[in-house]
Amino acid sequence: MNNLHTSFKTIGLVGKPRNDVNLRMHKNLYQWLSERGYHVLVEREVAEKLNLAECALASLDEIGSQAQLVIVIGGDGNMLGRARILAKYDIPLIGINRGNLGFLTDIDPKNAYSQLEACLERGEFFVEERFLLEASIERDGQIVSSGAAVNEAVIHPAKIAHMIDFHVYINGKFAFSQRSDGLIVSTPTGSTAYSLSAGGPILTPNLNAIALVPMFPHTLTSRPLVIDGDSKISIRFADHNTSQLEVGCDSQIALGFTPDDVVHIAKSRDKLRLLHLKNYNYYNVLSSKLGWLKHF
């Protein structure tokens, strides 16, 4: 149980619909929340499509600074994109699943109103913190670009099917060299995403750990490595024949760099705060999403 529900006066509605069904969900939810006395702010692009009053229109940053709760309508991609921006505002997010997998979006659209009522009116929820990664590019001793990742930072060549040679340092100490298609550096949240499909381990969300997962390594002895979540990772590149490389953050942000640069990855100061209904069970989510057998 949680008594925070009394402080939910302003609620943000975010997420970009892929179809009219989702747009209807935005409109219905806006009306449902408004009728219950909440001040509702809707992400500007959607609010304009719905012809909502000017006082309901807001940017993500305005929602982050004014709301006490954000409801994300859409799939995990929508949640990832909004979470990276909203994490710095220390605001809880809850998702209504309109995507395919829905590891991060708890609420079933069929039961959305009863589940939201339990959360908002009766305080039947808890808030879970997940850490993000910060990837930065160092060039000639200066940080020239950076990006946050909820799931993973992926180092890879800009051109497909090119191998790269690189050295990995952990807390300033040499850890290993590798020749592969790239490297996935994953949070526990991202361990069930791209990292999993590359053979990485599943890390439960409360672990303070980071997984380093090679992508199609040149040698069979390369294996995923799990390290302490407070580690600072630095990657240097040996192959100067590759002109352009990238760090992809959650497959939504790409930071370009060259082999002369150094990539640094460490835990971000910002945290994603996920609001779950009180009966949320991470292992149930895993079982249903990965098709594991049910218990007897």
Side-chain angles (χ1 to χ4, degrees):
M1 288 288 189
N2 203 312
N3 293 323
L4 278 176
H5 63 293
T6 54
S7 63
F8 294 157
K9 294 180 174 61
T10 300
I11 296 176
L13 270 187
V14 306
K16 287 189 179 158
R18 275 185 285 189
N19 53 49
D20 289 344
V21 174
N22 292 16
L23 208 54
R24 273 205 303 278
M25 183 102 203
H26 277 80
K27 187 160 195 173
N28 293 343
L29 198 50
Y30 172 80
Q31 289 170 339
W32 186 85
L33 290 166
S34 298
E35 284 165 7
R36 279 157 180 75
Y38 296 100
H39 177 218
V40 189
L41 295 174
V42 182
E43 201 171 350
R44 183 170 292 275
E45 194 178 320
V46 173
E48 285 173 347
K49 283 183 184 171
L50 294 174
N51 297 315
L52 298 181
E54 185 64 31
C55 62
L57 277 63
S59 67
L60 275 179
D61 287 302
E62 286 167 342
I63 289 170
S65 59
Q66 294 175 42
Q68 291 85 45
L69 173 69
V70 171
I71 300 171
V72 184
I73 302 173
D76 284 345
N78 266 297
M79 177 66 88
L80 290 172
R82 305 309 179 280
R84 275 198 309 274
I85 294 166
L86 293 169
K88 63 177 175 282
Y89 292 102
D90 197 33
I91 183 173
L93 278 65
I94 188 164
I96 298 177
N97 184 21
R98 278 289 181 183
N100 298 319
L101 268 177
F103 268 102
L104 296 173
T105 48
D106 284 15
I107 290 183
D108 175 2
K110 295 186 191 75
N111 305 312
Y113 298 103
S114 60
Q115 291 181 331
L116 281 173
E117 190 168 39
C119 159
L120 296 172
E121 306 296 327
R122 300 195 294 276
E124 296 174 1
F125 67 85
F126 66 96
V127 177
E128 177 191 44
E129 285 193 343
R130 307 276 187 99
F131 73 82
L132 284 71
L133 294 174
E134 182 84 16
S136 54
I137 310 297
E138 180 191 332
R139 181 171 300 150
D140 300 325
Q142 302 287 323
I143 300 299
V144 293
S145 61
S146 63
V150 177
N151 272 351
E152 73 279 303
V154 182
I155 293 98
H156 61 92
K159 288 182 180 174
I160 295 171
H162 276 238
M163 279 200 159
I164 49 173
D165 284 302
F166 54 91
H167 309 303
V168 177
Y169 298 80
I170 298 170
N171 296 327
K173 294 178 179 172
F174 174 75
F176 60 89
S177 292
Q178 193 173 96
R179 181 166 167 76
S180 68
D181 281 12
L183 182 71
I184 301 168
V185 181
S186 171
T187 65
T189 303
S191 69
T192 51
Y194 191 31
S195 169
L196 186 65
S197 62
I202 295 174
L203 307 177
T204 53
N206 58 326
L207 281 178
N208 183 31
I210 294 170
L212 307 182
V213 183
M215 298 165 63
F216 300 103
H218 195 57
T219 166
L220 295 175
T221 57
S222 290
R223 288 291 179 267
L225 176 67
V226 178
I227 61 174
D228 184 89
D230 293 312
S231 303
K232 291 181 168 40
I233 303 155
S234 298
I235 302 154
R236 296 177 181 272
F237 301 85
D239 188 358
H240 295 277
N241 295 323
T242 306
S243 59
Q244 193 61 35
L245 302 158
E246 280 182 2
V247 179
C249 297
D250 296 335
S251 302
Q252 293 181 346
I253 294 173
L255 308 174
F257 66 96
T258 72
D260 296 320
D261 301 331
V262 182
V263 175
H264 299 287
I265 299 171
K267 187 187 282 186
S268 168
R269 283 176 298 192
D270 301 326
K271 283 188 166 61
L272 166 59
R273 300 182 72 220
L274 281 177
L275 190 144
H276 296 296
L277 301 167
K278 68 170 186 179
N279 61 354
Y280 170 84
N281 178 343
Y282 174 74
Y283 299 103
N284 282 351
V285 176
L286 266 189
S287 295
S288 63
K289 305 303 179 189
L290 300 181
W292 291 354
L293 291 172
K294 295 274 186 279
H295 62 76
F296 298 105

